[in-house]
Amino acid sequence: TTSETTSVTLISPEIINLPPLNQHKPLSNMSNSEQKIEGSTLEKVEEKPTECEEEKKESNQPPLTAAGVEAAEEAKLRSKYPSVGRPMAGHSAFLQKRLTKGQKYFDSGDYQMAKQKSASNKSRMPPLLAQPTGEAIPTPESVPVRKTSIIHSKLTSAS
Amino acid sequence: MAGNGDIQWCFSQVKGTLDDDVSEADIISCVEFNHDGDLLATGDKGGRVVIFQRDPSSKNCHPRRGEYNVYSTFQSHEPEFDYLKSLEIEEKINKIRWLKRKNPAHFLLSTNDKTIKLWKVSERDKRAEGYNLRDESGQIRDPTSLTTLRVPVLKPMELMVEASPRRIFANAHTYHINSISINSDQETYLSADDLRINLWHMEVTDQSFNIVDIKPTNMEELTEVITAAEFHPHDCNVFVYSSSKGTIRLCDMRQAALCDMFEEPEDPTNRSFFSEIISSISDVKFSNSGRYMISRDYLSVKVWDLHMETKPIETYPVHEYLRSKLCSLYENDCIFDKFECCWSGNDSAIMTGSYNNFFRMFDRTSKRDVTLEASRETAKPRYLLKPRKVCTAGKRKKDEISVDCLDFNKKILHTAWHPHENIIAVAATNNLYIFQDKF
């Protein structure tokens, strides 16, 4: 039988952090967005500022009250995502998503795999080559010392 | 303490790497001064706590300087895996709260999403020498070789600061812990998650009392979550908690006491899709005097008199120019950012963060406000911070920044104000900026 080699395609870190898709408003990601790495200046996401101003002129109410401004923003949202439900009834699905923030894994094995995968992605080496299986049975002396968990915070470097 | 004149803020120090090599673990997730302001603790996403100490010479020199150096650093929480729910438990430190000093050691509570820990931080500057059963290198001596006894003597040694976990309060929260607050009695504390608040005693780790539970019997009827909670600074029976619906509840733990609800009335015809989201309160803090409290919602900070629940006594707009950008902010999730707020030591000023590494200060007496920026460009010793301005429409003046050019990745969520002096700590992603009044 011929053995087929499967090619391992690497997913580069840039692709992993995709901005939200335009099709639907992600109910995902209710988490505290302290770690927004993907670029989120307004210019990228919204129409150009000049278009906004045109919209305002058309609505014929300068200057808009706070409520008017919000209503205009809501109209913009509805035009982009018509399927977004109005969360007036306390947006229960919304909140429930928030309560279960954090990526769900199938089980602990899935979690371990995901952790190892992200570590090997950072090292940019094909996973198979990073850990050679070796030729000899390891002894305590030959096994590398387990790294301590504290990786020093950069706040402690002199300033 | 500061007078009522406008404070001139100067750069003092910045901690953390200033280059672009930021790993997620370095992102600062909380900042807290201790009760005398001599210690400043930070927690980060990697579960580490770094404590800075005020440089004693900086306190006594003329002009006084607010300088802090690293005092202790330790790994408070590790990532865990909840095997029952197949969920990762982040090691990110959500809150740090200091206990008041009772003895030479320092105690603090730190919490991640699920577990609260009491840490003891103590100094060791003496070592005993001249043991009988051990020699100087620690090797056990042969007992038969001992002919005389001696009393070990204490000799000075280089200062060592050790942190050790004294209590671990685990398994009491189904949902994610957002707040911890120590009671004025210094013996009990509360921990709040999205739906419940528990009351703990420092000495008891295997039990806690549930004092608030807003979980509906049917989760489909869930309408609000708890966003923050705090004990009153002086009344041991009073605490407050805020919700995602924009309400604040002042609670009294005494039997048969009623609970007051603080909420600004809103014209129902003005409600939009965004109304409830932006009314969600991200932080609530009692004043040092205990007579007022501030609440932070997405666009403003409000000051409440505890005796009047009908409406706030003061409202300060933080970044009103974002109201016309709510659609985009909803799309990039920034509308859910949880900004904190804080009081100055004498309650005359309020500070809170914004985007583009801007932070805002409001003087309650003069009613003046200022926008300042924590940036690497101004990280020069004693550099006087210049007020920043955001322009919304049309002509942009020199030095102003257009709202569309703001960097929404650079958010200042965590700030802290020294309890007695005009020294502030501002967390900008992975950097901790320390600013001081022009002394």
Side-chain angles (χ1 to χ4, degrees):
Chain A
T1 52
T2 53
S3 60
E4 294 175 23
T5 52
T6 48
S7 61
V8 176
T9 47
L10 280 182
I11 304 170
S12 73
E14 292 83 62
I15 298 177
I16 289 174
N17 292 320
L18 278 174
L21 294 174
N22 283 332
Q23 294 305 94
H24 58 94
K25 161 61 193 167
L27 287 178
S28 64
N29 217 2
M30 305 293 298
S31 58
N32 184 349
S33 45
E34 271 178 319
Q35 53 112 336
K36 294 273 170 190
I37 311 290
E38 61 267 343
S40 56
T41 50
L42 286 176
E43 275 184 302
K44 290 182 188 165
V45 184
E46 208 189 21
E47 317 101 7
K48 295 281 191 312
T50 46
E51 286 175 22
C52 288
E53 285 174 19
E54 278 172 354
E55 270 184 46
K56 282 185 189 167
K57 281 178 201 160
E58 279 167 15
S59 69
N60 211 14
Q61 297 177 1
L64 287 169
T65 60
V69 170
E70 281 179 41
E73 288 298 299
E74 184 172 353
K76 247 186 254 172
L77 187 72
R78 297 228 171 273
S79 66
K80 282 188 184 176
Y81 311 109
S83 59
V84 174
R86 195 176 175 85
M88 288 312 288
H91 44 145
S92 143
F94 221 50
L95 288 173
Q96 284 187 59
K97 206 71 189 195
R98 173 185 176 149
L99 295 183
T100 59
K101 84 165 186 206
Q103 208 172 337
K104 250 191 142 72
Y105 297 91
F106 181 70
D107 62 12
S108 57
D110 186 23
Y111 171 66
Q112 294 298 335
M113 294 285 290
K115 266 201 341 188
Q116 281 175 26
K117 191 166 194 189
S118 70
S120 67
N121 274 344
K122 281 182 196 142
S123 66
R124 286 184 178 273
M125 274 184 74
L128 290 173
L129 295 179
Q131 320 268 341
T133 47
E135 304 293 316
I137 296 168
T139 60
E141 290 79 17
S142 63
V143 168
V145 174
R146 196 169 154 230
K147 199 165 58 126
T148 54
S149 56
I150 181 158
I151 304 156
H152 289 282
S153 163
K154 296 201 179 85
L155 289 182
T156 58
S157 51
S159 165
Chain B
M1 283 220 252
N4 283 334
D6 269 2
I7 304 168
Q8 308 255 60
W9 292 100
C10 303
F11 171 84
S12 177
Q13 295 169 299
V14 62
K15 308 288 184 189
T17 169
L18 286 178
D19 58 41
D20 285 317
D21 172 34
V22 181
S23 75
E24 217 173 286
D26 295 328
I27 295 174
I28 300 169
S29 49
C30 60
V31 187
E32 188 81 2
F33 279 101
N34 75 339
H35 294 279
D36 60 16
D38 251 22
L39 296 180
L40 175 60
T42 60
D44 64 21
K45 265 198 133 180
R48 296 164 302 204
V49 170
V50 180
I51 302 175
F52 299 91
Q53 185 185 45
R54 181 92 180 267
D55 182 352
S57 62
S58 80
K59 260 195 287 191
N60 303 320
C61 66
H62 289 284
R64 241 166 40 253
R65 293 191 311 270
E67 273 179 23
Y68 286 79
N69 304 312
V70 178
Y71 178 69
S72 172
T73 166
F74 55 93
Q75 185 79 31
S76 173
H77 288 72
E78 296 267 12
E80 289 174 63
F81 190 72
D82 181 338
Y83 291 93
L84 196 59
K85 295 181 193 161
S86 293
L87 272 181
E88 187 176 17
I89 301 171
E90 273 192 313
E91 66 275 34
K92 171 168 77 96
I93 308 294
N94 292 334
K95 284 282 165 12
I96 291 173
R97 290 286 183 263
W98 291 93
L99 271 82
K100 288 187 181 149
R101 204 105 176 265
K102 287 191 294 200
N103 56 42
H106 293 98
F107 288 87
L108 61 81
L109 284 177
S110 67
T111 186
N112 69 348
D113 282 339
K114 295 288 183 185
T115 306
I116 306 136
K117 294 187 184 180
L118 175 69
W119 286 89
K120 175 180 178 180
V121 182
S122 48
E123 292 182 6
R124 192 200 291 233
D125 62 356
K126 292 182 203 44
R127 174 181 47 220
E129 282 177 19
Y131 284 103
N132 290 291
L133 298 175
R134 282 186 273 140
D135 67 24
E136 295 312 317
S137 62
Q139 301 277 34
I140 311 276
R141 287 162 84 178
D142 177 11
T144 57
S145 71
L146 297 176
T147 52
T148 58
L149 284 179
R150 57 187 175 173
V151 178
V153 286
L154 291 176
K155 293 260 171 72
M157 66 179 246
E158 205 183 296
L159 180 68
M160 230 172 59
V161 183
E162 303 167 317
S164 60
R166 306 303 287 175
R167 306 271 186 276
I168 296 178
F169 306 91
N171 303 322
H173 286 279
T174 311
Y175 304 98
H176 300 292
I177 298 174
N178 53 56
S179 312
I180 47 173
S181 177
I182 301 174
N183 196 309
S184 49
D185 67 13
Q186 296 291 304
E187 289 184 356
T188 56
Y189 73 94
L190 63 76
S191 58
D193 67 28
D194 289 319
L195 296 179
R196 298 191 177 101
I197 302 180
N198 294 332
L199 179 70
W200 301 83
H201 191 282
M202 294 290 180
E203 299 299 318
V204 180
T205 56
D206 59 356
Q207 285 181 57
S208 65
F209 289 103
N210 175 249
I211 54 177
V212 173
D213 187 340
I214 64 168
K215 181 170 191 252
T217 21
N218 181 3
M219 282 299 270
E220 300 287 314
E221 292 159 24
L222 181 68
T223 56
E224 59 180 343
V225 294
I226 297 169
T227 51
E230 198 185 36
F231 263 124
H232 191 275
H234 313 306
D235 297 341
C236 57
N237 50 296
V238 175
F239 69 94
V240 74
Y241 71 92
S242 58
S243 84
S244 57
K245 264 177 135 174
T247 62
I248 306 164
R249 285 177 174 83
L250 187 67
C251 307
D252 189 325
M253 294 193 293
R254 290 174 297 187
Q255 201 172 11
L258 300 171
C259 163
D260 290 326
M261 190 166 89
F262 292 69
E263 186 177 12
E264 185 157 25
E266 220 184 72
D267 183 355
T269 58
N270 283 342
R271 284 184 73 81
S272 73
F273 176 87
F274 302 109
S275 297
E276 195 166 308
I277 304 172
I278 63 171
S279 72
S280 174
I281 291 169
S282 51
D283 194 18
V284 69
K285 291 260 171 52
F286 282 107
S287 65
N288 292 291
S289 64
R291 289 187 51 202
Y292 305 100
M293 60 182 177
I294 42 175
S295 65
R296 173 71 155 98
D297 52 72
Y298 192 61
L299 298 178
S300 66
V301 184
K302 295 177 180 170
V303 182
W304 303 82
D305 182 329
L306 295 189
H307 295 118
M308 186 169 81
E309 63 261 31
T310 48
K311 59 184 167 80
I313 56 170
E314 293 154 35
T315 302
Y316 299 100
V318 180
H319 36 217
E320 186 64 23
Y321 46 79
L322 294 184
R323 200 183 290 270
S324 59
K325 305 295 177 190
L326 292 177
C327 179
S328 310
L329 294 165
Y330 178 82
E331 287 178 292
N332 62 22
D333 277 351
C334 284
I335 205 173
F336 301 107
D337 285 335
K338 298 185 72 171
F339 291 94
E340 291 174 8
C341 53
C342 63
W343 294 88
S344 65
N346 60 4
D347 297 339
S348 67
I350 297 164
M351 168 167 62
T352 189
S354 179
Y355 295 103
N356 208 70
N357 276 356
F358 287 172
F359 57 100
R360 303 265 287 138
M361 319 271 267
F362 305 98
D363 188 319
R364 295 180 61 214
T365 335
S366 68
K367 299 298 183 214
R368 278 197 289 267
D369 61 83
V370 69
T371 306
L372 299 171
E373 183 179 1
S375 86
R376 299 169 191 174
E377 283 75 43
T378 59
K380 294 168 215 152
R382 289 187 294 285
Y383 182 96
L384 184 67
L385 294 183
K386 281 197 284 276
R388 302 304 312 263
K389 199 144 169 19
V390 177
C391 70
T392 44
K395 286 209 176 78
R396 187 177 72 87
K397 296 198 193 93
K398 187 178 134 146
D399 280 351
E400 284 186 2
I401 181 165
S402 155
V403 66
D404 296 305
C405 297
L406 295 174
D407 188 342
F408 289 84
N409 278 331
K410 291 188 181 164
K411 44 194 100 181
I412 291 180
L413 303 170
H414 312 288
T415 58
W417 203 310
H418 190 288
H420 310 303
E421 297 183 46
N422 283 334
I423 299 170
I424 54 176
V426 174
T429 316
N430 64 312
N431 291 123
L432 182 72
Y433 285 83
I434 297 173
F435 300 106
Q436 63 173 57
D437 194 357
K438 201 167 167 174
F439 288 135

